[in-house]
Amino acid sequence: MTADQIKDNFDKIRLDIANAEKASGRKSGSVILCAVSKFHPAQSVLAAMDAGHFLFGENRVQEAFSKFTEINKMRPGKAQLHIIGSLQLNKVKKSVEIASCIQSVDREDLLKEIEKHASKLNKIMDVFLEIHTGEDSKSGYKDESELMSSLQNLSSGLYPHIRATGLMTMAPFCDDEKIVRKSFSSLRELREKVNKSFPNLPIKELSMGMSGDYKIAIEEGSTMVRIGTALFGEREYNKPNDGN
Ligand SMILES: *Cc1c(COP(=O)(O)O)cnc(C)c1O
């Protein structure tokens, strides 16, 4: 995809987001766009930056690390990166080095590992807790009691280098709008519950909505949509997988 096409896509998606905010009575600018650049080259990210966009999401740590190391050399301090893909413990160190937020925290072990590396780097990491809200999705906290115990630990100050600022979910991939909507509304309801039970945690972001379902997500209260295909085009999955 050319830089001009990418710029046009950003213009179009920004407008769509603004319209969806308006249509659902949301404040203008209340939805953040996280541009998912996985499987796309550094040039695509640079084209997005030229179009005035600076927040990106990647789901494979190895790929993200090399791509954004290169980008940060060319444009120091400009891009902001969120890790959005399910994470193995041995990828946490690099994630903490390269990203400002890990959106895909779905177990206590990850929090411990993030704290360890963030503390070494003397860095505060933002995290979103990923929640399992749909039948066929594999990732996310599935067990409510495990989630509550992580929240309890975060709330009691066990992880001083971690700031839990949001919840994230992926809706099931299906054509039934009711099912997708239910997944998003359940995340919103969970945030209300968490805010009540843990008022000292700054959990306010709802990261939900992708290319195919972001308008529904915005209607259901999303504060951050993660959009890849609609901005950068179809991904080519034929590159060798270098692991997560
Ligand atoms: C790839 C990915 C996206 C973006 O998906 P598109 O359908 O290309 O917009 C969003 N969130 C997560 C977690 C992803 O892995």
Side-chain angles (χ1 to χ4, degrees), residues 7 35-36 46 57 77 100 105 110 115 127 162 166 169 189 225:
K7 182 174 186 312
V36 178
L46 293 170
S100 61
V105 171
L110 281 174
E115 173 61 29
V127 304
I162 297 179
T169 200
E189 285 156 13
V225 291

Side-chain angles (χ1 to χ4, degrees), residues 118-160:
S119 147
K120 275 187 200 156
L121 290 177
N122 210 3
K123 171 178 184 176
I124 306 286
M125 272 308 280
D126 284 351
V127 304
F128 296 174
L129 302 175
E130 182 175 358
I131 311 296
H132 180 84
T133 59
E135 279 315 304
D136 51 352
S137 141
K138 286 170 267 61
S139 45
Y141 277 93
K142 288 172 198 72
D143 186 334
E144 171 120 356
S145 69
E146 199 189 338
L147 171 68
M148 288 304 147
S149 118
S150 287
L151 287 164
Q152 186 59 54
N153 289 338
L154 285 160
S155 168
S156 67
L158 191 61
Y159 304 118

Side-chain angles (χ1 to χ4, degrees), residues 36 38 59 84-85 168 170 209-212 226-230 235:
V36 178
K38 65 186 185 198
N59 72 341
I84 62 173
M168 186 269 246
M170 281 173 75
M210 315 189 350
S211 292
R226 309 177 308 271
I227 299 183
T229 310
R235 291 177 283 273

Side-chain angles (χ1 to χ4, degrees), residues 16-228:
D16 282 352
I17 291 173
N19 287 336
E21 285 169 340
K22 213 177 286 169
S24 45
R26 310 266 317 270
K27 238 178 50 204
S28 151
S30 53
V31 180
I32 300 166
L33 172 60
C34 178
V36 178
S37 48
K38 65 186 185 198
F39 288 92
H40 294 287
Q43 296 92 282
S44 294
V45 175
L46 293 170
M49 291 168 77
D50 289 339
H53 189 85
F54 300 96
L55 174 61
F56 299 93
E58 289 271 346
N59 72 341
R60 302 189 309 164
V61 175
Q62 199 57 50
E63 173 190 340
F65 192 84
S66 44
K67 195 185 300 178
F68 280 82
T69 301
E70 184 187 339
I71 286 159
N72 291 337
K73 267 190 203 136
M74 299 170 68
R75 315 254 174 104
K78 289 284 190 206
Q80 197 189 334
L81 177 66
H82 287 189
I83 296 296
I84 62 173
S86 59
L87 203 55
Q88 296 162 12
L89 285 182
N90 63 1
K91 297 294 177 352
V92 167
K93 181 171 184 280
K94 276 201 152 82
S95 302
V96 170
E97 280 172 33
I98 197 81
S100 61
C101 177
I102 298 176
Q103 295 199 10
S104 41
V105 171
D106 62 359
R107 57 195 192 276
E108 186 71 24
D109 277 359
L110 281 174
L111 289 171
K112 288 193 190 126
E113 197 70 9
I114 292 166
E115 173 61 29
K116 184 173 106 187
H117 294 289
S119 147
K120 275 187 200 156
L121 290 177
N122 210 3
K123 171 178 184 176
I124 306 286
M125 272 308 280
D126 284 351
V127 304
F128 296 174
L129 302 175
E130 182 175 358
I131 311 296
H132 180 84
T133 59
E135 279 315 304
D136 51 352
S137 141
K138 286 170 267 61
S139 45
Y141 277 93
K142 288 172 198 72
D143 186 334
E144 171 120 356
S145 69
E146 199 189 338
L147 171 68
M148 288 304 147
S149 118
S150 287
L151 287 164
Q152 186 59 54
N153 289 338
L154 285 160
S155 168
S156 67
L158 191 61
Y159 304 118
H161 297 85
I162 297 179
R163 192 164 52 197
T165 52
L167 303 177
M168 186 269 246
T169 200
M170 281 173 75
F173 294 99
C174 74
D175 293 331
D176 188 339
E177 189 181 311
K178 260 195 228 131
I179 293 174
V180 173
R181 195 174 285 283
K182 182 87 188 54
S183 152
F184 293 148
S185 63
S186 72
L187 194 73
R188 186 189 63 232
E189 285 156 13
L190 179 65
R191 183 189 58 186
E192 281 162 29
K193 193 170 142 188
V194 167
N195 286 161
K196 266 202 199 97
S197 310
F198 303 96
N200 71 331
L201 290 179
I203 294 188
K204 79 176 212 301
E205 305 297 350
L206 289 178
S207 174
M208 56 190 201
M210 315 189 350
S211 292
D213 56 18
Y214 67 93
K215 285 177 195 160
I216 303 172
I218 292 172
E219 288 169 12
E220 293 301 330
S222 171
T223 68
M224 185 181 292
V225 291
R226 309 177 308 271
I227 299 183

